[in-house]
């Protein structure tokens, strides 16, 4: 049975995408050991599903539509900067997300519903963030230390707010030039489709 790589996410505004691109361009000047995410691909991931059978897409969409309808629209703020596991030994560079409890509630609901469909639960607790780039596995300790020193100087204030009115199911195609993301379906939150 054919499958597609898929994930569930929240979209950002065009203005925040522009600002994230500016941040990436300035960080690129300081390091060559990071694989940067194209700014138009940056989104707030709620759940990575992995391979989804095409036969299950309709069921998945029905479940996501029902879950989205249970939550009301909310706003989150994009601000701050950090790295996983930390800036002293960075592996993933990110911009932070400050969100109301509604975001965690929506993510938990999606996690529970997709688990019922047989998708594995995330092992790590949900930590909302926007991934800017990943440090190369073959970076030398000296390069990693230089990056760590550079990151200590990075300060990112508030970039803006995002009003969330829907969640999106994406298809992810891995190409030689990087991943291409295609929205498959969008599910309105609560009464967000009413005027």
């Amino acid at each position: 049975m054919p499958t597609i790589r898929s994930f569930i996410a929240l979209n950002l505004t065009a203005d925040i995408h522009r600002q994230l691109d500016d941040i990436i361009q300035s960080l690129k000047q300081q390091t060559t050991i990071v694989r940067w995410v194209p700014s138009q691909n940056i989104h707030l991931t709620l759940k990575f599903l992995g391979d989804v059978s095409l036969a299950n897409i309709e069921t998945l969409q029905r479940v996501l539509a029902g879950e989205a309808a249970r939550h009301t629209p909310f706003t989150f703020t994009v601000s701050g900067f950090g790295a996983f596991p930390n800036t002293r030994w960075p592996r993933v560079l990110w911009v932070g997300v400050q969100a109301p409890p509604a975001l965690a509630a929506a993510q938990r609901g999606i996690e529970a519903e997709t688990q019922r469909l047989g998708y594995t639960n995330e092992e790590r607790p949900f930590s909302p963030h926007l991934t800017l780039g990943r440090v190369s596995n073959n970076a030398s300790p000296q390069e990693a230390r230089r990056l760590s020193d550079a990151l200590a100087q990075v300060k990112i204030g508030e970039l803006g707010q995002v009003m969330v009115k829907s969640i999106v199911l994406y298809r992810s195609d891995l190409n030689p030039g990087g991943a291409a993301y295609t929205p498959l379906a969008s599910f309105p939150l609560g009464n967000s489709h009413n005027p």
Side-chain angles (χ1 to χ4, degrees), residues 4-45:
I4 56 171
R5 275 171 59 87
S6 192
F7 63 91
I8 302 159
L10 303 178
N11 288 332
L12 306 175
T13 64
D15 180 54
I16 287 179
H17 277 291
R18 267 194 306 277
Q19 292 184 73
L20 292 173
D21 191 56
D22 291 345
I23 291 165
I24 288 170
Q25 296 312 319
S26 75
L27 288 171
K28 270 184 182 174
Q29 319 279 313
Q30 303 179 46
T31 181
T32 57
I33 62 169
V34 176
R35 291 186 318 279
W36 299 101
V37 177
S39 57
Q40 73 274 12
N41 278 2
I42 298 175
H43 50 265
L44 178 52
T45 303

